[in-house]
Every structure is written in structure tokens, then in C-alpha cells.
Amino acid sequence: MADKSANELPWFERRMLTTDFQEISGIPQKHFLDLIKRWHRRTFKSSLTNDEIGLLTLVNRKAVEAWRAPVGSISYRSMSDQARLLLIYRLIEPLKAFDDQPPRIRGPQIEWSDSDDDAVVKYYSDFGAAYVSRLTGKADYSVRRRARVLGITSSLPQAESHGFRWNKENDPELIRLVNSGVKIADIAKHFGTSNNTIVSHKLRLGLKSRRGRPKKPRD
């Protein structure tokens, strides 16, 4: 029997989640969230927590727990159609960005010189894609692909992943940098990720950037 095409698969088994609300309407919200978590694990090889769902849908963790509560219970709250669609759009955003990359920078026609490869071998493991990107002039995702081809791995949280995956073992380092007053842009470069990712995880950890000393009033 021939494999089903992508459009014939259930919406939660496709690589790209559906944005057609008719396909997800009528599904009990706890079951809907369970299917979303299953999709996330299959697609990104990581768990999607209630805290992360809250960040994506602009609510707190208690609201997500209320969506998952039994219908009719005191803690139950209805999940709006807007929240369902927002969650889907935020989850597929990195996939769509990857698919929308122009062919001229996605295909095998990208040339890697010996000096470019040397930079990947020498710096990718310790400093990540963002650092090597600045050295070679290649896009971050191209650096990650080249590192895989060369068999080079990195311990940085975003080396082989996207904006929504975060290795929580790096939380202490993030806390240290924020409490040391390091700028968001510099922290993002340190981890090889975006400013938005750093801001999101600052919120998750309840961190506040340290302000500099107040300036003395002018005479």
C-alpha cells in the first residue's frame, strides 16, 4: 500500500500543522493539547511544557492547567479559538521560516572553502553557529548544516535546534549573565540564538535585568 500524502494525514501527524480551524474545531481542548504535545515531540524531539504553551499563547501556566482540567470542574476554563490558532501559528513559525528560505541559500550550491571549514571545526563546538556565521559570512542554519556534514557537534542549546527548544541545563548560565548585567543581544550571541528566545526564558525564570547605577542629576 502506498504511503499517504502529507495532506491525507491527520492534521497532528503532518510536518506542518493545519491552520484551517475546521480541522481542529470540536476537539476537546485537553485532547487538542495532548495532540499538540505529541506533534511537538515527533517534530522537534523535545517535550512541550505547560509553561512553554503559556508563553506561546500569552497566558500563564495556571491558565494552561485550567484548559486541561476536567470539564465541569471548578478550575476548568475554556480555551478560545484564538488561543488554539495562536498556539499553532507560533509552533509552525520556525518551520515556515525554514521552508521560505530562498533556494540560493538553501541548496547544495553554497560553496564552503577550506578556511570556512576550518572555522567550523575550530569554533563551532565551543561558540556555536552565530559565532561561526560572523566569521564566514554564512547564515546560521547553513553553518549548522555544514557542522553536521563535518561531524562537528556543539554543547550550546541552539546549535542543533530552533528558537522554541531550550536546554534547561543552561538556565544557571543564563541567570548568571542576566544578573551580571550582560545585554540581551550579547547573551543571545553567547548562546547562538535570538533576542526573543532569551527574553522568553528570562520571563519563564522570572529574571529582571540589572539596571546600572542611577546617574547623578545635572547641576
Side-chain angles (χ1 to χ4, degrees):
M1 182 181 294
D3 293 338
K4 292 182 178 179
S5 67
N7 290 334
E8 292 176 328
L9 292 172
W11 63 270
F12 52 87
E13 290 185 3
R14 303 172 196 168
R15 177 179 181 276
M16 193 71 68
L17 287 171
T18 182
T19 56
D20 182 356
F21 186 71
Q22 290 184 348
E23 290 193 78
I24 60 174
S25 62
I27 301 175
Q29 57 199 44
K30 183 179 184 303
H31 184 50
F32 168 76
L33 291 172
D34 288 341
L35 291 174
I36 288 290
K37 287 190 172 188
R38 185 192 305 175
W39 174 86
H40 190 278
R41 177 172 289 279
R42 185 179 65 253
T43 304
F44 297 126
K45 309 298 188 253
S46 67
S47 299
L48 184 65
T49 67
N50 287 345
D51 285 323
E52 290 167 336
I53 292 175
L55 283 173
L56 294 173
T57 52
L58 307 179
V59 300
N60 57 35
R61 178 178 179 174
K62 289 185 178 180
V64 179
E65 291 173 346
W67 290 342
R68 299 180 61 83
V71 177
S73 65
I74 296 177
S75 58
Y76 173 81
R77 295 293 183 274
S78 177
M79 184 179 188
S80 69
D81 297 346
Q82 292 84 353
R84 292 193 185 206
L85 287 174
L86 178 60
L87 178 58
I88 285 177
Y89 274 106
R90 294 291 294 276
L91 286 173
I92 66 176
E93 190 175 79
L95 293 177
K96 290 183 68 66
F98 177 82
D99 288 343
D100 290 343
Q101 291 163 10
R104 63 183 179 84
I105 59 174
R106 290 184 59 201
Q109 69 271 23
I110 298 176
E111 295 183 359
W112 286 83
S113 66
D114 290 341
S115 61
D116 290 337
D117 284 347
D118 288 343
V120 176
V121 172
K122 188 174 182 179
Y123 298 110
Y124 181 76
S125 181
D126 293 327
F127 298 95
Y131 185 82
V132 178
S133 174
R134 293 195 295 273
L135 295 177
T136 62
K138 303 290 195 299
D140 290 10
Y141 50 81
S142 294
V143 173
R144 294 187 187 101
R145 287 180 180 176
R146 190 61 179 173
R148 286 195 292 269
V149 170
L150 297 174
I152 309 298
T153 59
S154 174
S155 60
L156 295 181
Q158 298 299 319
E160 300 292 342
S161 60
H162 55 85
F164 292 115
R165 180 186 295 175
W166 178 265
N167 185 344
K168 293 185 179 180
E169 292 179 0
N170 289 278
D171 284 354
E173 176 71 358
L174 175 60
I175 293 171
R176 183 187 70 80
L177 292 172
V178 172
N179 289 340
S180 298
V182 180
K183 295 180 180 180
I184 294 297
D186 291 333
I187 297 176
K189 290 178 181 178
H190 174 76
F191 285 111
T193 186
S194 67
N195 292 1
N196 288 340
T197 296
I198 299 302
V199 171
S200 294
H201 289 287
K202 274 185 57 187
L203 292 173
R204 175 175 63 83
L205 295 170
L207 299 175
K208 294 183 179 180
S209 297
R210 297 188 63 177
R211 299 174 182 267
R213 295 180 179 178
K215 297 180 179 179
K216 294 182 179 180
R218 294 181 180 178
D219 296 334

